[in-house]
Amino acid sequence: MSATFVAHVLGLEITAADHGRWRPEVRKRRTDSRGRGLESTGALTTHTGESTAGTGTTVTMSWHTDPRP
């Protein structure tokens, strides 16, 4: 797992990457309260992007601020 961030005058961008492999979806054994990470992240950021490849998954999260008072 690795993570980087870049602070801009008008916002912040964080990129997190893992180097794992995708596994087939497993039926949920517990309640339906798991698996909401990307949904939650999308609700809290200005932009969220996800990229999956054979070498892992990368998620980019951005927050932009409005320069107007």
Side-chain angles (χ1 to χ4, degrees), residues 1-56:
M1 174 71 125
S2 63
T4 60
F5 74 93
V6 177
H8 301 281
V9 172
L10 297 178
L12 174 68
E13 180 176 284
I14 296 175
T15 301
D18 71 25
H19 306 289
R21 291 178 288 157
W22 277 96
R23 292 185 286 182
E25 185 174 335
V26 177
R27 287 184 180 229
K28 296 176 183 172
R29 294 179 216 155
R30 298 181 183 184
T31 65
D32 195 21
S33 64
R34 296 184 51 150
R36 300 213 194 303
L38 290 175
E39 182 181 333
S40 298
T41 301
L44 297 171
T45 62
T46 306
H47 172 77
T48 301
E50 176 187 3
S51 170
T52 303
T55 56

